[in-house]
Amino acid sequence: MNSFFERKYVIQGIFITAALLLALRLFYLQIIDDSYLLSANNNVLRKVVIYPARGVILDRTGKILVQNEPVYDLMVTPREVKSFDTLALCELIGVDKEGFDKRFQKAVNFSPYRASVFEKQLSAQIYARLQEKLYQFRGFYVQNRTVRSYPDSVAAQFLGYINEVTPKDIERSNNFYRPGDYIGVSGVERAYEDLLRGQRGVQNLMVDAFNRPKGHFMDGKYDTLAVAGEGLVSSLDLELQKLAEKLMKNKRGSVVAIEPSTGEILAFSSTPSYDPNMMVGRERGNNYMKLLNDPNKPMFIRPIQAQYPPGSVFKVVSALVSQQAGMIEQQTRYHCPGGYSYGGGRGFMRCTHVHGTIDLPAAIQGSCNTYFGHIYARMLDQRKMRASSAYTLWREAIMKFGIAQELGVDLPNEKKGLLPTADYYSKRYGNEKWGSGYNISNSIGQGEVEITTLQMANIMAIVANRGYYYRPHLIKSIGEEKVVKKEFTEKISVDIDEKYFEPVVEGMSRVVKYNTNIRIPDIEMCGKTGTAQNPHGKHHSVFFAFAPRVNPKIAIAVFVENVGYGATYAAPIASMMVEKYLKDTISMSKATQERVLKESNLIEPEPPKEETEQVVGTSAPFPSAAENRVTYIRHKERKFQSKER
């Protein structure tokens, strides 16, 4: 009897165990594992993501800078693929058998049951041929997309480009993005990504045994519409931008033009450049590597990332700051014997000419190094305080012009330039007993001082406005409602009284008035040529200006690397752009225009020059090894350097 009952419990246990195992298997298949559900659904339903069109970008007059054009992604669900003529498909989409095998294996690794991209961005022509025979390739279907198109192929660094999202992009977005989505990588495409991208939609389509759509599931009840991205109106003037890029061809440098009354950037040229259409299509990857490895760095955004010695533009700022501090006035005169002597005659900073005794407007006009050496010395050495404290006050006043800080332009990765603190020099020289002679090169915009072309153009906007600026920006308005960002409407003062601008403006007006090569008929342009010294080759050609003198409409800065004096290239380029913008014509002599346009090989790097111990002005070689560290007591500098070693 006992054995009978034991067998009974054993048999019951077996049945109960089998039932539990079956229940657990059913639970796994129906609740946890969705592969069979996906396979069944894919036989009947196809969930198609509807990608939104990115927002269109226009210039300030409504001309198209960036638009969208259709392309087609070939999708595959590996589990649904049946035997077919692989060579026929390869021929249709333009890949070889090895490429086909790699793509298919990648899709299998992603998921046998979920659709993934097999081949990206098929053209309309390829799609048309493929569509006729798509029913022969079970498990494959086409996903409509749009990519960017650039009708005029300009402003590549400003506009930026888009790319497929990476796993890090997806993680940072809290899974808003999905594999296969596109995201702005640089330029305006990145800065305004949240507005440009739009919102995905979904369609649930019923398909037959041949993978052909047969309508919407439940009449589209569960479909969602895609929402296009917001359109942007750029501040750029397309015709002015084209002219800037034309004039800067075969040169290395940048051009920035600003409307002073709004801070809107009218032109933003960075050269060498590239055709933005290179970053679209099936050759995008190859083109990207070519650009990345190009020694001329065409993807480098020079207007906001290249930092240069400012040269003469710094004298304009120095003159304004010194007047506001009460250290000089318009009639303040200094004698220029051809250079500035300091440190009891142990140091000498050369000037470009022997100017004689001159006042402030004449010093601006002649870019007199001697004059600005004197006022720098007064600002640091004659303020009844330690020079390091006076330097800090001077630096704070200079920084109000947007120097050594980001201006907040609506592009990523803006550089702020450089203007060392007093602590930098105190640490360098081992104490605070240094004076203006230790960094006299700062007085003429050399030394450690560095600014960007955008900052240079913004300084001109400040002078044009006689004491204030609006944050420079590249997007004029957003969407159909023409929304303007609040930060771009804020009026920023530099705390300089308006009366102090007139002698500076007068000096700048004389520069252009007495230079027939850049003078514009019927327009009083106020400008300044500059030659920023370069210890590694030819000097940089610089010109900055605004026009007209009364009620200015444009402020501009042109920086051309390694081509010599400011009047050689930068000044004619700026003059032509200003006249084109204000008068829609160019009256400059044909000879000058042709010289600027046809000159070649200007982007070739110059061989390094020998170092020199000479402290100079705007026309002589500037020291290389000790470029920014000139002192009037040479033995102290050597002593400090020995400590460093």
Side-chain angles (χ1 to χ4, degrees), residues 365-632:
Q365 178 187 355
S367 196
C368 179
N369 292 341
T370 304
Y371 194 97
F372 289 95
H374 278 293
I375 66 173
Y376 183 70
R378 292 193 68 174
M379 288 291 288
L380 266 63
D381 303 334
Q382 300 179 28
R383 299 186 74 173
K384 298 180 180 180
M385 63 181 72
R386 182 168 286 179
S388 58
S389 300
Y391 176 88
T392 298
L393 293 178
W394 173 83
R395 181 176 182 272
E396 290 172 352
I398 295 288
M399 288 182 65
K400 291 179 180 179
F401 284 77
I403 295 172
Q405 59 183 310
E406 295 178 8
L407 288 172
V409 68
D410 44 350
L411 283 181
N413 302 319
E414 177 191 4
K415 300 297 183 183
K416 65 181 183 179
L418 177 65
L419 185 62
T421 63
D423 287 343
Y424 168 86
Y425 292 111
S426 296
K427 289 178 182 178
R428 174 171 178 76
Y429 300 118
N431 56 58
E432 295 185 352
K433 297 179 181 180
W434 50 270
S436 62
Y438 284 73
N439 50 24
I440 193 65
S441 50
N442 288 350
S443 67
I444 58 172
Q446 296 291 157
E448 284 89 0
V449 184
E450 293 180 346
I451 68 173
T452 65
T453 310
L454 177 65
Q455 291 171 331
M456 196 180 298
N458 190 60
I459 290 170
M460 285 299 96
I462 293 168
V463 178
N465 291 330
R466 304 331 192 247
Y468 65 89
Y469 69 97
Y470 293 94
R471 202 175 304 280
H473 54 283
L474 287 153
I475 296 303
K476 184 180 176 73
S477 62
I478 301 168
E480 294 181 359
E481 297 181 2
K482 308 295 183 186
V483 176
V484 179
K485 284 190 170 183
K486 183 179 179 181
E487 58 263 36
F488 298 145
T489 63
E490 178 189 0
K491 189 176 181 179
I492 304 172
S493 173
V494 297
D495 295 332
I496 303 290
D497 295 344
E498 184 175 344
K499 63 183 180 181
Y500 295 131
F501 285 86
E502 288 315 305
V504 172
V505 171
E506 173 59 27
M508 294 174 63
S509 177
R510 294 178 191 176
V511 170
V512 179
K513 182 179 179 181
Y514 297 113
N515 189 332
T516 57
N517 291 329
I518 60 175
R519 195 166 56 208
I520 302 173
D522 304 320
I523 293 177
E524 185 177 2
M525 179 168 72
C526 304
K528 188 78 186 69
T529 56
T531 305
Q533 285 134 28
N534 171 28
H536 308 297
K538 283 186 178 180
H539 300 325
H540 306 311
S541 178
V542 189
F543 188 80
F544 44 92
F546 66 90
R549 178 171 179 170
V550 179
N551 192 22
K553 302 295 183 185
I554 182 172
I556 190 168
V558 180
F559 204 107
V560 189
E561 298 180 27
N562 311 120
V563 295
Y565 295 109
T568 308
Y569 287 99
I573 289 171
S575 179
M576 284 188 272
M577 289 188 62
V578 169
E579 186 175 14
K580 179 67 175 177
Y581 182 70
L582 296 177
K583 301 177 68 175
D584 196 28
T585 187
I586 296 176
S587 61
M588 184 172 288
S589 70
K590 295 295 183 183
T592 303
Q593 291 187 50
E594 289 179 4
R595 178 180 60 78
V596 172
L597 288 170
K598 293 185 178 180
E599 193 73 51
S600 59
N601 297 324
L602 293 180
I603 61 173
E604 294 298 324
E606 292 287 335
K609 291 188 176 181
E610 292 184 1
E611 296 178 359
T612 174
E613 287 290 323
Q614 187 177 27
V615 186
V616 299
T618 55
S619 64
F622 200 75
S624 175
E627 164 177 289
N628 309 332
R629 312 172 181 90
V630 180
T631 72
Y632 62 82

Side-chain angles (χ1 to χ4, degrees), residues 251-317:
K251 304 171 185 68
R252 182 187 285 112
S254 53
V255 177
V256 177
I258 298 175
E259 184 178 63
S261 60
T262 61
E264 294 171 4
I265 297 175
L266 304 170
F268 187 88
S269 173
S270 177
T271 52
S273 187
Y274 63 94
D275 183 348
N277 288 297
M278 293 176 66
M279 301 302 290
V280 177
R282 298 168 73 181
E283 288 299 312
R284 180 202 166 280
N286 293 332
N287 291 335
Y288 174 76
M289 293 309 298
K290 288 178 184 177
L291 294 172
L292 193 64
N293 295 321
D294 189 326
N296 290 314
K297 300 180 180 179
M299 302 183 79
F300 185 51
I301 309 176
R302 283 180 166 79
I304 63 170
Q305 294 179 339
Q307 300 172 106
Y308 306 105
S312 294
V313 72
F314 203 73
K315 295 174 182 176
V316 170
V317 179

Side-chain angles (χ1 to χ4, degrees), residues 42 47 75-78 110-117 141:
N42 287 335
K47 182 174 288 189
M75 311 293 291
V76 63
T77 307
F110 173 75
S111 172
Y113 305 99
R114 296 181 183 274
S116 60
V117 177
Y141 69 94

Side-chain angles (χ1 to χ4, degrees), residues 113-137:
Y113 305 99
R114 296 181 183 274
S116 60
V117 177
F118 185 81
E119 181 68 0
K120 301 174 185 176
Q121 299 186 15
L122 301 178
S123 67
Q125 293 78 13
I126 293 176
Y127 170 68
R129 295 197 302 268
L130 176 64
Q131 186 67 12
E132 295 177 358
K133 300 181 180 181
L134 193 59
Y135 70 92
Q136 299 176 9
F137 311 117

